[in-house]
Amino acid sequence: MMETKRKKDPRQQYKGYVNREKGQTFEKIIEAACREYSLKGAANIEKTPEPMRVIKRLDKGRFVAVFEKKAQPDFKGTLDGGQTVVFEAKSSEGDRILQRAVTPTQTESLNIHWAMGATVFVLVCMNRETYYRVPWEVWRKMKTHYGRLYMKLEELKAFEITFDLTLKFLQGVNRYGHAARF
């Protein structure tokens, strides 16, 4: 019996493309901030590479690869003084961010780092204009804090961070993961 392939919906393909572009732009903003923190000696934070395996080599350094497992948290590093920092970056349009935007694999990894004493949070970009650092202890207990598995813009306001030439995502965090000097 011959299997028929489902046609891809061009609108969904376009929406996926736009969302990937927004996410990549947000990550570039974060990477610029990470470079700034590194230059100041405040932190060394790097983007976590996606785990992939090369399945076919082409020419001139090109290759075909597949992702081996689901993504780890987006960024990992160390604050001045030795404190580990691990965080996920999520962007959303509209008036809410869903808890499920962080995958189960990412949640598991963030929980492990948090339980070991790392500074863990989710950086959120809403509507390409406002930025928030949601502490992991709030994100992971969203249902307890808000009675649902998403946060509205008005709830995110308590976690808003500054974007003044660079994203100040460590502002208010010190070498021990508490209020601070960055």
Side-chain angles (χ1 to χ4, degrees), residues 124-142:
V124 177
C125 174
M126 294 298 291
N127 302 312
R128 293 176 277 178
E129 61 186 35
T130 51
Y131 302 89
Y132 309 90
R133 182 186 63 233
V134 181
W136 186 243
E137 54 270 25
V138 173
W139 186 277
R140 69 192 290 269
K141 299 279 188 176
M142 209 178 277

Side-chain angles (χ1 to χ4, degrees), residues 64-119:
V64 177
V66 294
F67 291 109
E68 286 195 313
K69 59 182 179 177
K70 297 193 185 221
Q72 293 293 306
D74 288 328
F75 292 86
K76 297 176 185 172
T78 307
L79 302 177
D80 174 36
Q83 175 71 26
T84 299
V85 61
V86 181
F87 60 94
E88 183 60 28
K90 296 297 176 190
S91 61
S92 183
E93 299 291 317
D95 66 347
R96 64 188 61 183
I97 183 77
L98 305 176
Q99 186 184 49
R100 72 173 184 237
V102 176
T103 70
T105 302
Q106 292 164 337
T107 295
E108 181 182 349
S109 180
L110 292 167
N111 278 333
I112 290 167
H113 286 282
W114 182 75
M116 296 179 85
T119 298

